């Protein structure tokens, strides 16, 4: 019960890594809001797990503000915010990625972190505490070919994490990131271009431990970084990648 008495928002929490984080937080005693663009999935999961649900488009300022207000109404200013929602473009040479796809990747993966900070950091500062966890990717540490602008968006998130951490530390707010390798999530097929045994084998050959990241792996790492056990840890971009970035 490392998170007993804590409250948390997890964006993109209705599936994949986000769902793994939600489940772990609940088992550790937190109250959790599952915030997802797929409101129906968020509501269904919340009803199953005993959480709160919220439909949100993290790339839209008004939607993020509404999420913050919904959390305030449900359980007050959250102690923990996990910026997990993310998208990618299909693997292709950088000059062939459409402007629409580029804008979408940076709006969801990067602008969302700013919007969430704008909505929730002032309250955390006034309270003098908070934990923010950004879900980046090994793609932002050791980029894969043809995931060019996705790689860049996750590199941005790692740098943003450090910039947020050093600025917010005097305010009692910790900011860390997780860098998972690809996992069994809705984005896996998009990363690979096609989900075939051959393509999976090619991906797995780059991971020394020989398997994908799981939602459980992410939940375990997130629970530690957001707990009081990690009270001296901020600005860390932890690789949960089975050795992928060595």
């Amino acid at each position: 019960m490392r998170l007993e008495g804590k409250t948390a928002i997890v964006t993109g929490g209705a599936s994949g890594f986000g769902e793994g984080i939600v489940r772990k937080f609940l088992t550790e005693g937190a109250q959790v809001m599952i915030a997802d663009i797929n409101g129906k999935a968020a509501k269904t999961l919340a009803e199953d797990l005993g959480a709160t649900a919220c439909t949100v488009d993290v790339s839209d300022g008004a939607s993020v503000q509404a999420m913050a207000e919904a959390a305030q109404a449900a359980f007050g200013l959250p102690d923990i915010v996990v910026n997990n929602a993310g998208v990618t473009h299909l693997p292709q040479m950088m000059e062939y990625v459409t402007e629409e796809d580029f804008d979408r990747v940076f709006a969801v993966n990067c602008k969302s972190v700013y919007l969430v900070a704008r909505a929730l950091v002032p309250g955390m500062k006034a309270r003098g505490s908070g934990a923010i966890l950004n879900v980046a990717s090994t793609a932002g540490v050791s980029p894969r070919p043809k995931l060019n602008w996705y790689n860049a968006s996750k590199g941005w998130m790692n740098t943003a994490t450090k910039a947020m951490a050093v600025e917010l530390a005097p305010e009692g707010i910790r900011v860390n990131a997780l860098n998972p390798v690809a996992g069994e999530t809705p984005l896996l097929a998009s990363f690979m271009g096609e989900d075939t045994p051959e393509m999976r084998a090619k991906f797995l050959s780059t991971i020394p431990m020989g398997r994908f990241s799981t939602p459980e792996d992410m939940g375990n790492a997130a629970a530690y970084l957001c707990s009081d056990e990690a009270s001296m840890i901020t600005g860390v971009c932890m690789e949960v990648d089975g050795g992928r970035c060595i």
Side-chain angles (χ1 to χ4, degrees):
M1 302 296 284
R2 288 181 293 173
L3 302 179
E4 188 171 12
K6 303 285 189 181
T7 56
I9 298 174
V10 180
T11 69
S15 64
F17 291 152
E19 181 180 344
I21 293 170
V22 166
R23 289 179 179 276
K24 182 63 175 180
F25 278 16
L26 289 169
T27 64
E28 293 288 350
Q31 294 183 66
V32 181
M33 170 174 279
I34 303 169
D36 204 288
I37 196 167
N38 187 338
K40 183 178 180 181
K43 183 178 180 181
T44 299
L45 184 63
E47 289 173 349
D48 288 345
L49 300 180
T52 303
C54 177
T55 303
V56 65
D57 176 354
V58 294
S59 69
D60 180 79
S63 185
V64 170
Q65 184 60 39
M67 175 191 74
E69 292 170 2
Q72 186 77 34
F75 49 57
L77 181 73
D79 299 296
I80 300 164
V81 180
V82 181
N83 290 307
N84 168 74
V87 295
T88 186
H89 53 77
L90 291 175
Q92 56 191 305
M93 302 304 287
M94 64 180 65
E95 64 270 30
Y96 296 135
V97 176
T98 67
E99 187 173 353
E100 180 182 10
D101 280 349
F102 177 94
D103 286 345
R104 179 169 174 264
V105 165
F106 276 81
V108 175
N109 295 0
C110 303
K111 184 182 178 182
S112 63
V113 177
Y114 152 72
L115 292 175
V116 170
R118 186 178 70 175
L120 294 170
V121 162
M124 290 181 170
K125 282 184 174 181
R127 185 179 58 200
S129 67
I132 299 171
L133 182 66
N134 298 323
V135 177
S137 170
T138 54
V141 180
S142 180
R144 290 183 183 271
K146 297 185 179 180
L147 286 175
N148 31 75
W149 307 120
Y150 172 79
N151 296 333
S153 74
K154 292 304 187 177
W156 180 98
M157 186 172 275
N158 283 323
T159 299
T161 296
K162 293 177 181 294
M164 294 169 74
V166 73
E167 182 171 327
L168 296 177
E171 309 289 344
I173 303 167
R174 298 185 302 107
V175 188
N176 292 295
L178 294 178
N179 284 292
V181 75
E184 295 284 358
T185 75
L187 288 184
L188 181 59
S190 296
F191 289 137
M192 296 191 297
E194 56 178 349
D195 191 351
T196 64
E198 293 76 18
M199 191 59 73
R200 284 186 174 230
K202 183 178 179 180
F203 248 66
L204 287 171
S205 70
T206 69
I207 305 171
M209 290 188 72
R211 68 172 178 84
F212 293 121
S213 292
T214 68
E216 292 76 18
D217 293 326
M218 292 293 287
N220 291 335
Y224 168 66
L225 287 176
C226 294
S227 74
D228 292 339
E229 293 175 11
S231 62
M232 191 58 177
I233 297 176
T234 195
V236 165
C237 299
M238 180 186 289
E239 293 155 16
V240 186
D241 67 348
R244 159 79 172 84
C245 290
I246 297 172

